[in-house]
Amino acid sequence: MMLTKIDFIKNLAVFSDFSWKNSLGNSENFEKLNIIYGRNYSGKTTLSRIIRAFEIGKLSDKYENPEFQISTDKSYKLTQNKISNKQNFRVFNSDFINENLSFTHDENGKIEPFAILGEDNQRILKEIEKIENELGKNLDEKTCLYKELEHKDKNNQESKAKLDEATNELDKALINKAKYLKETYKHFGLLNYDKKTLREDIKKVLETDFQPGEYDFEEKQKILTEETKEKIQKINIKFLLNELSLKTEELVEKKFETSSKIQELVENSLLNNWVANGLHLHKERKICAFCGNEITDNRIRDLKNHFDKEKEEFDLDIKDIKEKIENEKNNISQIPNNLFYMKFYSNFQNKAKETINELKYRVRLYNEELEKLLSQIIEKENDVFHYNTFVKPSISIMQDIKDFVNIYNDLVDKSNMFGDNLEKEKENTKQELLFNRVYGIMLEIGYKEKSKNIEELENISKLKNKELEEIKNIINTKELELKEYKAKLNDEQKGAEKVNIYLSNFFSHTSLKLNAVEADSESKKFHFEIQRDGKKAFNLSEGECRLISFAYFVAKLNDVDTKDTKPIIWIDDPICSLDSNHIFFIYSLIYDEIVMKDIFSQLFISTHNLEFFKYLKRLNTKEKNNKKYFLVENKNNISTIKIMPKYLEKYVTEFNYLFSEIYKCSKIEEPSDENYQSLYNFANNARKFMEIYLFYKFPYVADGQDRYEDEKKKMKLFFSDESLIPKILFDGIANEYSHLETGGIERGAIPISVAEFRICAQRILDGIKKNDENQYKYFLKNIDNHE
C-alpha cells in the first residue's frame, strides 16, 4: 500500500481546514520518495503524528474533534475513525523518542528494548517457516491466508459499500422529506422534525395499518388553528299550523242566517262592508253624514239586526285568527334568521350552512301555507254571508322542518362536544394529516421496497463480515503463534549492537554505546542502557540524544516485527541540534540503510534545515523519477501543504534562498496574507545575506576594528557611495528589526514598513547588479526568473 494524498485535515493543531484539492489540485499525488520542507512550527510534526496514529493505534486526546482522510492506492481511505486498524507504518518524530527513549530527556526514564532474530535451533525455524508459508506474504502482492484475507476484506468492503449506498440513499430521501415536512407543515409543530422522527412515524403508520382518508385537506388544516367558541343553543320549535288551520276552517265555512238580514247588503259584500264601517261611525248620529238625511229608528233597528252580536263576535274571531297567523309567521321566520353557521367549528360549518339554508327554505314553504290560511280568512272577511269551502294547508312541511331541526341540533351537539375536546381533536387531526402525508411519502420514496433491500444487504454484509472475522481470527492466531516462536529466537543484545554499529560507523561515536542489560534472569527480560566508556551515561547533550534516537530508529527497522515487511517510513526533522558533520552522517545513514536497501514501500522525510534539504535532493529510489517535493507553510497560524516551488526545489544553498526572499520583497506593493511572512522575516534574511555576501566579497577584517565599524566599511565598498546606503539597512535591519532587544521591546509592536523594506531590497539588488552583473544574472536564473 502507498499513500496518495491527504484529502483533508480539520481541527488538528495548525491544520484547521486543509484541503488537498484546494491547495494542490486533484492531479498531484505522493510518490515513493517524498521530501517535505517547512520552517519550524509550520505543521511538519502534526503530519507525522497523523501517520504515527495508525502505527500505534491511537491519536492524542488533546485534539478536539479532529477530522482527516488519507487516500491510498488501494482505494482505501484512512480516517480518524479507523485509527484502531493499525497499519504497517514506522514514524520517527519527537513522540517516538519520548515513548521509546524517555531516558534521553529524563534520567528516571528508560529505553525500550527490541530484538533482532537470533541464531537458535532449527526446529523452531522450521515451525516458523511452516506458519509463514500458511500465512503467505503480506506485501503488495499477497499470498495464501493473507490473499484470502484480502479477498474476504474486499468482499466485505463491497457488501458494506452497497449497504452504505442503499442506506445513504434512503437516509437522504428521509432527510429531504423530513425537511420538507418541517418547513411546509409548520402548524403541525414539527420544530425538531428530522430523519429519526420521520422513521418513527413511518413505523407507527405501518404498525397501525393506517389507510389514507379522503377529505378536504384545507378544511382539516383549519381545525389546527381553531380557538374555543361559545356553546351553541339548540332550536326548539312549536308549530301552530294545525290549530290555526282548524280555527280558520271553522270561520271560513261559517254560515249566517240571512232571513233577518238586509238582503241588499247580503248580496253586495262591498256595500255590506261599507255599511258596517259606516254604522260604527254613526252610532251617536241621527243625520247621515253621507247623504244628510235623517236616520230613522227603524233603519237603526234593521241595521242592528243585520250586524248583530253573532256578526260582531265573528269579526272579533277573524281579527284574532289573522293576528295569530301573522305572529306564527313572524315567530317561525325568526328561527333561521338567528342561526349562523360561523358559530360552529370549521369542520361542521359546511353542513351547518347547508342545514340552515334548508331550514330557511322550509320556513318559507311553511309561511306560504300560513299565507293560504290568511288569504282564505281575508276572503271570508270580505264576503261573510257567502259560503266558502275551506282549502286545507299541507302539514307535511312541519315534518320537513322538524327533520332539519333535528339535523341542526345534532350538529350543535357535535360541535359543542368537539369544543369540549378541542385540544384532543387538534392532536387527532394533526396526527391524521401527518400520517396521511407520511403514508404518501412512503409511497413516493418506495420505503418498503428500499427497507427490504437494505435488510437483505445487511444480512449479506453480516455474513461477509463474519467470514472476514473468521479469517482474521485464524491469521491472528497464527501470527501470535509465530510471534511466540520468534520470541524464543529473539536477541535483544543484537538490537543494541545494531545501534552501536550505526553510532561508530556513521557518527564516529565510540565512547557512547547502547547495551542490553538483563533486568530479570528468570524471565530473561532486558532493558537498554546508554553507556559512556562502560558506565551508564547521564547529562547527554541534545545532539547526542538525537544521534542515539535516530540510530535506534533505523536499527529498529530490522526488528522481528518490521524486517522484510517494507513499511511506509516517515522521518520528521531528524537533524535538530546537530552540527554540519552529523547532518551529513544522518543523511548517509538514511541513504545506505533505508534508501539503498529499499526496505520501504514509501518514504517521507521532512526538514526545516536547508543544508540537510540540500543532501536530501541527492536521494533517489531504484525506480528513478519516483520522487516529489512538498512545502508546508504556516500563515496566520493556519498551515497548508503545497507543491514545492521550482526555485526552492533547485536551490543548492541557503544563500540562494535568502536572495529569492530579498527579490520577492523588492516586488511587494502592499502586505497580504501571502507575502506577510516574507516581510516579517526580511530583516533577518537581509542581514544574513549581506553578512555572507560581504564576507566572500571583502573577507579582510581590520585589526582592532569592531564588527559594527567593519560592517559599515564593507557597506561603503559594496554601494560605492555612502549616500546610497539606506539608513534602515544598517541601523534598522542589522540592529533594530532583527534584534528587538537593541531596538526596544516596543519595536515588536510597531507595524512593518513595507515601503522601507522594498527600497532596501531594491538597493541591495541594484548593488549586486552593479558590482557583479554575471552573478546577479545567475541568481535570477537560479530562482527561475527571466527578468
Side-chain angles (χ1 to χ4, degrees), residues 265-301:
L265 297 182
V266 170
E267 294 173 359
N268 191 331
S269 60
L270 291 175
L271 182 60
N272 183 74
N273 292 332
W274 180 77
V275 172
N277 292 328
L279 181 62
H280 175 70
L281 296 173
H282 287 74
K283 284 183 179 180
E284 301 300 328
R285 296 179 66 95
K286 293 295 184 178
I287 301 300
C288 177
F290 181 72
C291 63
N293 294 321
E294 179 183 2
I295 303 173
T296 64
D297 292 337
N298 291 333
R299 190 58 177 171
I300 292 297
R301 186 182 61 254

mmCIF file of all heavy atoms in Angstrom, residues 265-301:
data_model
loop_
_atom_site.group_PDB
_atom_site.id
_atom_site.type_symbol
_atom_site.label_atom_id
_atom_site.label_comp_id
_atom_site.label_asym_id
_atom_site.label_seq_id
_atom_site.Cartn_x
_atom_site.Cartn_y
_atom_site.Cartn_z
ATOM 1 N N LEU A 265 -127.578 44.093 1.410
ATOM 2 C CA LEU A 265 -126.217 44.013 1.946
ATOM 3 C C LEU A 265 -125.693 42.582 1.873
ATOM 4 O O LEU A 265 -124.513 42.350 1.643
ATOM 5 C CB LEU A 265 -126.191 44.502 3.400
ATOM 6 C CG LEU A 265 -126.576 45.980 3.615
ATOM 7 C CD1 LEU A 265 -126.476 46.350 5.076
ATOM 8 C CD2 LEU A 265 -125.700 46.907 2.771
ATOM 9 N N VAL A 266 -126.570 41.622 2.064
ATOM 10 C CA VAL A 266 -126.162 40.218 1.961
ATOM 11 C C VAL A 266 -125.647 39.929 0.562
ATOM 12 O O VAL A 266 -124.645 39.216 0.385
ATOM 13 C CB VAL A 266 -127.334 39.291 2.325
ATOM 14 C CG1 VAL A 266 -126.998 37.850 1.975
ATOM 15 C CG2 VAL A 266 -127.693 39.426 3.775
ATOM 16 N N GLU A 267 -126.297 40.493 -0.404
ATOM 17 C CA GLU A 267 -125.955 40.196 -1.794
ATOM 18 C C GLU A 267 -124.766 41.024 -2.277
ATOM 19 O O GLU A 267 -124.140 40.684 -3.270
ATOM 20 C CB GLU A 267 -127.169 40.441 -2.681
ATOM 21 C CG GLU A 267 -128.302 39.456 -2.368
ATOM 22 C CD GLU A 267 -129.599 39.793 -3.128
ATOM 23 O OE1 GLU A 267 -129.564 40.811 -3.860
ATOM 24 O OE2 GLU A 267 -130.531 39.042 -3.002
ATOM 25 N N ASN A 268 -124.492 42.109 -1.607
ATOM 26 C CA ASN A 268 -123.395 43.002 -2.042
ATOM 27 C C ASN A 268 -122.371 43.116 -0.898
ATOM 28 O O ASN A 268 -122.585 43.868 0.061
ATOM 29 C CB ASN A 268 -123.927 44.367 -2.422
ATOM 30 C CG ASN A 268 -122.869 45.224 -3.122
ATOM 31 O OD1 ASN A 268 -121.677 45.069 -2.881
ATOM 32 N ND2 ASN A 268 -123.321 46.123 -3.970
ATOM 33 N N SER A 269 -121.332 42.355 -0.996
ATOM 34 C CA SER A 269 -120.341 42.318 0.096
ATOM 35 C C SER A 269 -119.624 43.646 0.256
ATOM 36 O O SER A 269 -119.307 44.064 1.373
ATOM 37 C CB SER A 269 -119.322 41.211 -0.151
ATOM 38 O OG SER A 269 -118.630 41.425 -1.368
ATOM 39 N N LEU A 270 -119.400 44.345 -0.871
ATOM 40 C CA LEU A 270 -118.711 45.628 -0.760
ATOM 41 C C LEU A 270 -119.576 46.644 -0.031
ATOM 42 O O LEU A 270 -119.094 47.376 0.843
ATOM 43 C CB LEU A 270 -118.361 46.167 -2.153
ATOM 44 C CG LEU A 270 -117.273 45.384 -2.915
ATOM 45 C CD1 LEU A 270 -117.113 45.946 -4.330
ATOM 46 C CD2 LEU A 270 -115.924 45.482 -2.160
ATOM 47 N N LEU A 271 -120.854 46.604 -0.415
ATOM 48 C CA LEU A 271 -121.776 47.526 0.239
ATOM 49 C C LEU A 271 -121.953 47.156 1.695
ATOM 50 O O LEU A 271 -122.024 48.017 2.582
ATOM 51 C CB LEU A 271 -123.134 47.485 -0.486
ATOM 52 C CG LEU A 271 -124.210 48.444 0.043
ATOM 53 C CD1 LEU A 271 -123.745 49.903 -0.067
ATOM 54 C CD2 LEU A 271 -125.514 48.247 -0.748
ATOM 55 N N ASN A 272 -121.927 45.852 1.948
ATOM 56 C CA ASN A 272 -122.082 45.364 3.321
ATOM 57 C C ASN A 272 -120.926 45.852 4.190
ATOM 58 O O ASN A 272 -121.143 46.333 5.315
ATOM 59 C CB ASN A 272 -122.149 43.844 3.312
ATOM 60 C CG ASN A 272 -122.383 43.272 4.697
ATOM 61 O OD1 ASN A 272 -123.490 43.341 5.235
ATOM 62 N ND2 ASN A 272 -121.300 42.733 5.291
ATOM 63 N N ASN A 273 -119.761 45.755 3.645
ATOM 64 C CA ASN A 273 -118.590 46.183 4.418
ATOM 65 C C ASN A 273 -118.594 47.701 4.596
ATOM 66 O O ASN A 273 -118.185 48.205 5.655
ATOM 67 C CB ASN A 273 -117.298 45.751 3.710
ATOM 68 C CG ASN A 273 -117.130 44.244 3.728
ATOM 69 O OD1 ASN A 273 -117.626 43.566 4.633
ATOM 70 N ND2 ASN A 273 -116.438 43.696 2.719
ATOM 71 N N TRP A 274 -119.100 48.393 3.551
ATOM 72 C CA TRP A 274 -119.128 49.862 3.641
ATOM 73 C C TRP A 274 -120.105 50.301 4.715
ATOM 74 O O TRP A 274 -119.808 51.167 5.531
ATOM 75 C CB TRP A 274 -119.533 50.405 2.269
ATOM 76 C CG TRP A 274 -119.588 51.917 2.225
ATOM 77 C CD1 TRP A 274 -118.557 52.767 2.150
ATOM 78 C CD2 TRP A 274 -120.758 52.698 2.269
ATOM 79 N NE1 TRP A 274 -118.965 54.065 2.133
ATOM 80 C CE2 TRP A 274 -120.358 54.048 2.199
ATOM 81 C CE3 TRP A 274 -122.149 52.391 2.322
ATOM 82 C CZ2 TRP A 274 -121.271 55.118 2.213
ATOM 83 C CZ3 TRP A 274 -123.030 53.475 2.331
ATOM 84 C CH2 TRP A 274 -122.582 54.805 2.295
ATOM 85 N N VAL A 275 -121.230 49.613 4.757
ATOM 86 C CA VAL A 275 -122.259 49.947 5.752
ATOM 87 C C VAL A 275 -121.773 49.597 7.150
ATOM 88 O O VAL A 275 -121.991 50.330 8.112
ATOM 89 C CB VAL A 275 -123.579 49.225 5.439
ATOM 90 C CG1 VAL A 275 -124.587 49.415 6.563
ATOM 91 C CG2 VAL A 275 -124.150 49.729 4.125
ATOM 92 N N ALA A 276 -121.086 48.450 7.229
ATOM 93 C CA ALA A 276 -120.578 48.018 8.553
ATOM 94 C C ALA A 276 -119.621 49.063 9.113
ATOM 95 O O ALA A 276 -119.694 49.422 10.303
ATOM 96 C CB ALA A 276 -119.879 46.677 8.438
ATOM 97 N N ASN A 277 -118.762 49.595 8.263
ATOM 98 C CA ASN A 277 -117.835 50.636 8.720
ATOM 99 C C ASN A 277 -118.568 51.923 9.053
ATOM 100 O O ASN A 277 -118.253 52.617 10.021
ATOM 101 C CB ASN A 277 -116.765 50.917 7.649
ATOM 102 C CG ASN A 277 -115.817 49.749 7.469
ATOM 103 O OD1 ASN A 277 -115.551 49.031 8.422
ATOM 104 N ND2 ASN A 277 -115.342 49.549 6.238
ATOM 105 N N GLY A 278 -119.600 52.252 8.212
ATOM 106 C CA GLY A 278 -120.360 53.482 8.453
ATOM 107 C C GLY A 278 -121.190 53.389 9.718
ATOM 108 O O GLY A 278 -121.368 54.380 10.430
ATOM 109 N N LEU A 279 -121.721 52.182 10.009
ATOM 110 C CA LEU A 279 -122.539 52.009 11.205
ATOM 111 C C LEU A 279 -121.718 52.327 12.458
ATOM 112 O O LEU A 279 -122.235 52.955 13.394
ATOM 113 C CB LEU A 279 -123.064 50.567 11.269
ATOM 114 C CG LEU A 279 -123.956 50.243 12.464
ATOM 115 C CD1 LEU A 279 -125.246 51.111 12.442
ATOM 116 C CD2 LEU A 279 -124.343 48.776 12.459
ATOM 117 N N HIS A 280 -120.518 51.963 12.421
ATOM 118 C CA HIS A 280 -119.643 52.227 13.567
ATOM 119 C C HIS A 280 -119.474 53.732 13.764
ATOM 120 O O HIS A 280 -119.387 54.221 14.906
ATOM 121 C CB HIS A 280 -118.281 51.560 13.346
ATOM 122 C CG HIS A 280 -117.268 51.871 14.401
ATOM 123 N ND1 HIS A 280 -117.373 51.381 15.687
ATOM 124 C CD2 HIS A 280 -116.149 52.663 14.368
ATOM 125 C CE1 HIS A 280 -116.363 51.843 16.394
ATOM 126 N NE2 HIS A 280 -115.597 52.626 15.604
ATOM 127 N N LEU A 281 -119.470 54.477 12.625
ATOM 128 C CA LEU A 281 -119.246 55.922 12.719
ATOM 129 C C LEU A 281 -120.554 56.689 13.046
ATOM 130 O O LEU A 281 -120.506 57.861 13.419
ATOM 131 C CB LEU A 281 -118.688 56.454 11.384
ATOM 132 C CG LEU A 281 -117.304 55.902 10.987
ATOM 133 C CD1 LEU A 281 -116.954 56.373 9.566
ATOM 134 C CD2 LEU A 281 -116.246 56.384 11.968
ATOM 135 N N HIS A 282 -121.723 56.018 12.901
ATOM 136 C CA HIS A 282 -122.996 56.729 13.082
ATOM 137 C C HIS A 282 -123.740 56.295 14.335
ATOM 138 O O HIS A 282 -124.957 56.492 14.455
ATOM 139 C CB HIS A 282 -123.912 56.500 11.851
ATOM 140 C CG HIS A 282 -123.438 57.266 10.626
ATOM 141 N ND1 HIS A 282 -122.357 56.886 9.900
ATOM 142 C CD2 HIS A 282 -123.962 58.413 10.023
ATOM 143 C CE1 HIS A 282 -122.184 57.723 8.900
ATOM 144 N NE2 HIS A 282 -123.160 58.691 8.936
ATOM 145 N N LYS A 283 -123.024 55.698 15.282
ATOM 146 C CA LYS A 283 -123.691 55.233 16.497
ATOM 147 C C LYS A 283 -124.382 56.372 17.246
ATOM 148 O O LYS A 283 -125.468 56.200 17.803
ATOM 149 C CB LYS A 283 -122.677 54.537 17.423
ATOM 150 C CG LYS A 283 -122.293 53.128 16.958
ATOM 151 C CD LYS A 283 -121.348 52.470 17.944
ATOM 152 C CE LYS A 283 -120.996 51.078 17.500
ATOM 153 N NZ LYS A 283 -120.083 50.416 18.432
ATOM 154 N N GLU A 284 -123.794 57.538 17.256
ATOM 155 C CA GLU A 284 -124.338 58.666 18.038
ATOM 156 C C GLU A 284 -124.998 59.715 17.137
ATOM 157 O O GLU A 284 -125.333 60.813 17.605
ATOM 158 C CB GLU A 284 -123.202 59.331 18.829
ATOM 159 C CG GLU A 284 -122.463 58.414 19.792
ATOM 160 C CD GLU A 284 -123.362 57.819 20.843
ATOM 161 O OE1 GLU A 284 -124.329 58.480 21.238
ATOM 162 O OE2 GLU A 284 -123.090 56.651 21.236
ATOM 163 N N ARG A 285 -125.233 59.449 15.877
ATOM 164 C CA ARG A 285 -125.801 60.455 14.969
ATOM 165 C C ARG A 285 -127.221 60.076 14.558
ATOM 166 O O ARG A 285 -127.558 58.899 14.465
ATOM 167 C CB ARG A 285 -124.911 60.531 13.701
ATOM 168 C CG ARG A 285 -123.503 61.017 13.979
ATOM 169 C CD ARG A 285 -122.722 61.031 12.668
ATOM 170 N NE ARG A 285 -123.263 62.019 11.747
ATOM 171 C CZ ARG A 285 -122.792 63.266 11.624
ATOM 172 N NH1 ARG A 285 -121.778 63.671 12.369
ATOM 173 N NH2 ARG A 285 -123.336 64.087 10.767
ATOM 174 N N LYS A 286 -127.996 61.092 14.240
ATOM 175 C CA LYS A 286 -129.361 60.933 13.737
ATOM 176 C C LYS A 286 -129.439 61.339 12.281
ATOM 177 O O LYS A 286 -130.423 61.043 11.602
ATOM 178 C CB LYS A 286 -130.347 61.792 14.549
ATOM 179 C CG LYS A 286 -130.507 61.327 16.005
ATOM 180 C CD LYS A 286 -131.140 59.958 16.084
ATOM 181 C CE LYS A 286 -131.386 59.525 17.521
ATOM 182 N NZ LYS A 286 -132.051 58.207 17.609
ATOM 183 N N ILE A 287 -128.411 62.076 11.865
ATOM 184 C CA ILE A 287 -128.368 62.554 10.480
ATOM 185 C C ILE A 287 -127.236 61.820 9.792
ATOM 186 O O ILE A 287 -126.117 61.730 10.307
ATOM 187 C CB ILE A 287 -128.120 64.077 10.418
ATOM 188 C CG1 ILE A 287 -129.213 64.822 11.165
ATOM 189 C CG2 ILE A 287 -128.058 64.544 8.966
ATOM 190 C CD1 ILE A 287 -130.623 64.602 10.636
ATOM 191 N N CYS A 288 -127.460 61.290 8.604
ATOM 192 C CA CYS A 288 -126.433 60.552 7.837
ATOM 193 C C CYS A 288 -125.362 61.531 7.380
ATOM 194 O O CYS A 288 -125.677 62.557 6.755
ATOM 195 C CB CYS A 288 -127.076 59.847 6.646
ATOM 196 S SG CYS A 288 -125.855 59.001 5.618
ATOM 197 N N ALA A 289 -124.159 61.196 7.716
ATOM 198 C CA ALA A 289 -123.032 62.069 7.358
ATOM 199 C C ALA A 289 -122.771 62.029 5.862
ATOM 200 O O ALA A 289 -122.149 62.939 5.322
ATOM 201 C CB ALA A 289 -121.767 61.641 8.115
ATOM 202 N N PHE A 290 -123.259 61.012 5.191
ATOM 203 C CA PHE A 290 -123.001 60.892 3.770
ATOM 204 C C PHE A 290 -124.042 61.647 2.935
ATOM 205 O O PHE A 290 -123.684 62.421 2.046
ATOM 206 C CB PHE A 290 -122.985 59.403 3.396
ATOM 207 C CG PHE A 290 -122.702 59.173 1.934
ATOM 208 C CD1 PHE A 290 -121.423 59.380 1.414
ATOM 209 C CD2 PHE A 290 -123.735 58.807 1.079
ATOM 210 C CE1 PHE A 290 -121.202 59.174 0.076
ATOM 211 C CE2 PHE A 290 -123.476 58.615 -0.267
ATOM 212 C CZ PHE A 290 -122.200 58.789 -0.779
ATOM 213 N N CYS A 291 -125.383 61.352 3.248
ATOM 214 C CA CYS A 291 -126.436 61.953 2.409
ATOM 215 C C CYS A 291 -127.163 63.134 3.086
ATOM 216 O O CYS A 291 -127.896 63.871 2.458
ATOM 217 C CB CYS A 291 -127.468 60.893 2.009
ATOM 218 S SG CYS A 291 -128.345 60.193 3.426
ATOM 219 N N GLY A 292 -126.998 63.252 4.384
ATOM 220 C CA GLY A 292 -127.630 64.366 5.106
ATOM 221 C C GLY A 292 -129.062 64.087 5.497
ATOM 222 O O GLY A 292 -129.727 64.975 6.051
ATOM 223 N N ASN A 293 -129.590 62.887 5.224
ATOM 224 C CA ASN A 293 -130.972 62.566 5.592
ATOM 225 C C ASN A 293 -131.015 62.051 7.019
ATOM 226 O O ASN A 293 -130.013 61.570 7.579
ATOM 227 C CB ASN A 293 -131.546 61.516 4.650
ATOM 228 C CG ASN A 293 -131.686 62.054 3.214
ATOM 229 O OD1 ASN A 293 -132.062 63.213 3.027
ATOM 230 N ND2 ASN A 293 -131.370 61.233 2.222
ATOM 231 N N GLU A 294 -132.190 62.058 7.546
ATOM 232 C CA GLU A 294 -132.403 61.603 8.919
ATOM 233 C C GLU A 294 -132.336 60.085 8.918
ATOM 234 O O GLU A 294 -132.819 59.398 8.030
ATOM 235 C CB GLU A 294 -133.782 62.057 9.436
ATOM 236 C CG GLU A 294 -134.041 61.573 10.852
ATOM 237 C CD GLU A 294 -135.458 61.959 11.334
ATOM 238 O OE1 GLU A 294 -136.198 62.562 10.531
ATOM 239 O OE2 GLU A 294 -135.769 61.632 12.482
ATOM 240 N N ILE A 295 -131.686 59.566 9.969
ATOM 241 C CA ILE A 295 -131.602 58.107 10.134
ATOM 242 C C ILE A 295 -132.727 57.718 11.084
ATOM 243 O O ILE A 295 -132.710 58.083 12.268
ATOM 244 C CB ILE A 295 -130.247 57.683 10.728
ATOM 245 C CG1 ILE A 295 -129.076 58.173 9.849
ATOM 246 C CG2 ILE A 295 -130.139 56.157 10.871
ATOM 247 C CD1 ILE A 295 -127.711 57.942 10.423
ATOM 248 N N THR A 296 -133.655 56.947 10.531
ATOM 249 C CA THR A 296 -134.845 56.650 11.323
ATOM 250 C C THR A 296 -134.538 55.543 12.306
ATOM 251 O O THR A 296 -133.568 54.767 12.151
ATOM 252 C CB THR A 296 -136.009 56.212 10.409
ATOM 253 O OG1 THR A 296 -135.616 54.994 9.772
ATOM 254 C CG2 THR A 296 -136.304 57.275 9.353
ATOM 255 N N ASP A 297 -135.371 55.408 13.291
ATOM 256 C CA ASP A 297 -135.203 54.348 14.290
ATOM 257 C C ASP A 297 -135.356 52.978 13.647
ATOM 258 O O ASP A 297 -134.673 52.028 14.039
ATOM 259 C CB ASP A 297 -136.261 54.527 15.422
ATOM 260 C CG ASP A 297 -135.980 55.789 16.249
ATOM 261 O OD1 ASP A 297 -134.772 56.240 16.254
ATOM 262 O OD2 ASP A 297 -136.875 56.294 16.903
ATOM 263 N N ASN A 298 -136.315 52.916 12.699
ATOM 264 C CA ASN A 298 -136.494 51.621 12.020
ATOM 265 C C ASN A 298 -135.213 51.205 11.278
ATOM 266 O O ASN A 298 -134.839 50.028 11.235
ATOM 267 C CB ASN A 298 -137.663 51.699 11.036
ATOM 268 C CG ASN A 298 -139.015 51.819 11.777
ATOM 269 O OD1 ASN A 298 -139.134 51.358 12.925
ATOM 270 N ND2 ASN A 298 -140.005 52.428 11.125
ATOM 271 N N ARG A 299 -134.633 52.202 10.705
ATOM 272 C CA ARG A 299 -133.392 51.888 9.950
ATOM 273 C C ARG A 299 -132.286 51.431 10.899
ATOM 274 O O ARG A 299 -131.564 50.481 10.599
ATOM 275 C CB ARG A 299 -132.905 53.130 9.165
ATOM 276 C CG ARG A 299 -131.783 52.834 8.191
ATOM 277 C CD ARG A 299 -132.182 51.792 7.192
ATOM 278 N NE ARG A 299 -131.116 51.553 6.204
ATOM 279 C CZ ARG A 299 -131.108 50.593 5.333
ATOM 280 N NH1 ARG A 299 -132.157 49.739 5.303
ATOM 281 N NH2 ARG A 299 -130.126 50.458 4.473
ATOM 282 N N ILE A 300 -132.255 52.110 12.011
ATOM 283 C CA ILE A 300 -131.255 51.733 13.030
ATOM 284 C C ILE A 300 -131.527 50.310 13.492
ATOM 285 O O ILE A 300 -130.609 49.497 13.656
ATOM 286 C CB ILE A 300 -131.301 52.713 14.221
ATOM 287 C CG1 ILE A 300 -130.791 54.106 13.775
ATOM 288 C CG2 ILE A 300 -130.442 52.196 15.371
ATOM 289 C CD1 ILE A 300 -129.375 54.158 13.319
ATOM 290 N N ARG A 301 -132.803 49.965 13.689
ATOM 291 C CA ARG A 301 -133.173 48.625 14.152
ATOM 292 C C ARG A 301 -132.786 47.582 13.096
ATOM 293 O O ARG A 301 -132.251 46.521 13.418
ATOM 294 C CB ARG A 301 -134.694 48.590 14.427
ATOM 295 C CG ARG A 301 -135.130 47.254 15.054
ATOM 296 C CD ARG A 301 -136.653 47.201 15.282
ATOM 297 N NE ARG A 301 -137.396 47.324 14.032
ATOM 298 C CZ ARG A 301 -138.066 48.412 13.650
ATOM 299 N NH1 ARG A 301 -138.099 49.478 14.427
ATOM 300 N NH2 ARG A 301 -138.705 48.441 12.478
#
